[in-house]
Amino acid sequence: MRTFLCGLVTAVLVATNPVPAVAAAGKQPAAAAAAGNQPYASYWHPNGILSWDPATDPDARFNRSRVPLAARTSDPALKANAGARAGEGRIASLVSFAPTSNNPSQGALDPNYYAFPYWQYIDSLVFWGGSAGEGLILAPNPTVIDAAHRNGVRVYGTVFFPPTAYGGQIQWVRDFVQKSGSTYPVADKLVQVARYYGFEGWFINQESAGGNTELATEVRNAMTYARGQGPVEFMWYDAMTESGSVSWQDGLNTANDAFLQDGSTRVADSMFLDFGWSAAKQNTSRSTARGLGRSEYDLYAGIDTEANGYNTAVGWSSVFPAGQPHVTGLGLYRPEWTYKSATSRADFYARDARYWVGANSDPSDTTTTSAWKGLASYVAESTPVTTKPFVTSFNAGHGDLYAIDGTVLGNTGWNNLSLQDVPPTYRWIVQSAGTRLTPSIDFADAYEGGSSLKLAGRLDAANTVRLYQTRLPVAADTRLSVVVKNPAPGPTNLSAAVSFADDPTAFTYLDLGATSGTGWETKTLDLSGYAGRTVTQLGLHAEAPEPVDSYAVRVGRLALYDGEVDTVAAPSELTVLGATGVSLRLGWIAAAGPIHHYDVFARHSDGTRTYLGGTTNDAYFVPRLDRTGSESSTTVEVEAVGAEGGRSAVASTEVPWTDEPVPSNRIYEFEAWGI
């Protein structure tokens, strides 16, 4: 691309104080094991990937996603913005979550992270990265895959052949297309990696000079071959042309169209068009795609927001003309500018809201004098909330604490997108004839995870807060559960708001009543009276008989499910795969039946329990296990958590302590806001 990946600046702390080291315990499995060091996301050069084997790569097990790609829908009757369109141009997002190397597989003990909350507007995510000095082929880490799939978003790794000025070598492209008989070994590995790690495919960015027609043909052949070995998908970047030269066309035309469709052969599933497009080039792209028998919405007109975010000049009318069908889709390069440029978490969320839903932080009202109206102004939101059970604790995927069933068991900052709940579809739409309450994701308190939903402000008129678009059929035993926390005992002045498919914009309000105290309390509503209908929206409705100057109610969980909360089978054979200093690699046999995720705890000799982390996988890296007092061992426990929130019995193992110090070269890295 004409702008390139920049490395993150990190602050480094070196542990010099002696800390008791953890001795490895438990039996070793037959699969590859290693010391208890940090596993990282995978990256390779083309020849390097040929030797990759998950059976011998000790990090591979930690890089698997277990969340399937969710189906999703978009109801035109419920779209937030009148000008937005559904089923036309989509959004592809190219995001650098971390550097190519040293990217922790399963999150980290650092709350500062690009915890993306607007999945409802994007169709696919490219895990952007790669560099000449580290590796050209970059697989996404499982936390990103998990979160994307939970929201129905496809994920692509990156194959990046840099320009010569950035260390690119045309030999790497030749290595990429090397043949063994009739096979392409690197392409075979791309398929294997995508299948094993659980993502959809690859973004191919070939910008190394020195190619020719023969090499360009072989690149196409390698992609076609891989598709035949699949399933695997490809997104092609508009750089290399059919002649083999690198010449950005800023559109689809006869110089590059064979990389999308070559006669009757589908070569790539989509194409990211470089940034210099115009109205004329867009029209040519559309007509060329149609002439190939492909949709213009397989094309993404790229915009580069790495440097200026929502201050970037964009020819919006050439992509999304007002009142007319979209011309193509839109490709976002580096939307994480909202995080990289932020000075605090609050600033990040404010910038992210402006980027995605506009200056008013309301997708239904994108009116502004700014040329950047927000993506919600053009593309209607989608929802993956189409099957029961649906449970959200408004967990943002990062935080300063971690709570289980309303009790804080972790006081360390963290990030882990595998644990992010499906964010609200409408962030935020508040309907009121009076003062509007302010919804927010609150990191100061949580029922489950690291955050909750807070409604605050002056309540002087009825407020309806639209949260989720859904498609959930109601059965005779369907229940709606809301966990609330009131600042004082008494009326919550809060109702659940539910709409149904027969009148999707009209809400029915179900009173949550009063609380008996100031802690978390669960209100369970029987929906049997609505059996046979389909819930299309879930929200909240606040209304008080008299004005409340300082209304402040938190919602810790919102759940719609059938019958009693399901019991969950326990995992088994919890094993310490390796230990280094105070960090551990754990593995276990997955529990039978559908599991949402696993939580990992330390049980100390005094009976207290500390939260260590969570994963959707059957292996987890514990970055720090602390010793309580002079205990000779700590019990590590793993619980399975079901889709309805039910918890299993624990699997446990003992981790003995020694008195040897942690090596003085142990390094912890964290990224600071605004650096």
Side-chain angles (χ1 to χ4, degrees), residues 19-25 36 576 578-585 622 624-627 634 636 654-662:
V19 178
V22 180
V576 177
T580 303
V582 292
S583 62
L584 299 173
R585 289 186 176 210
V622 177
R624 186 172 186 89
L625 180 68
D626 289 322
R627 186 182 194 179
T634 299
V636 174
E654 290 296 313
V655 178
W657 291 90
T658 72
D659 293 322
E660 297 179 8
V662 172

Side-chain angles (χ1 to χ4, degrees), residues 405-492:
D405 291 334
T407 300
V408 175
L409 296 179
N411 288 293
T412 301
W414 62 278
N415 71 78
N416 187 344
L417 285 183
S418 289
L419 304 179
Q420 184 189 60
D421 289 320
V422 174
T425 316
Y426 307 108
R427 186 170 175 160
W428 303 100
I429 298 179
V430 182
Q431 300 167 334
S432 178
T435 305
R436 292 195 297 176
L437 294 175
T438 300
S440 64
I441 300 299
D442 179 37
F443 293 90
D445 201 356
Y447 176 74
E448 191 83 17
S451 50
S452 57
L453 174 67
K454 185 177 182 180
L455 301 180
R458 176 176 170 79
L459 181 60
D460 54 21
N463 274 250
T464 299
V465 183
R466 295 174 64 187
L467 291 175
Y468 290 94
Q469 184 183 140
T470 68
R471 185 176 290 173
L472 301 174
V474 181
D477 60 349
T478 299
R479 301 175 184 186
L480 178 61
S481 174
V482 185
V483 178
V484 296
K485 178 178 273 193
N486 211 3
T492 59

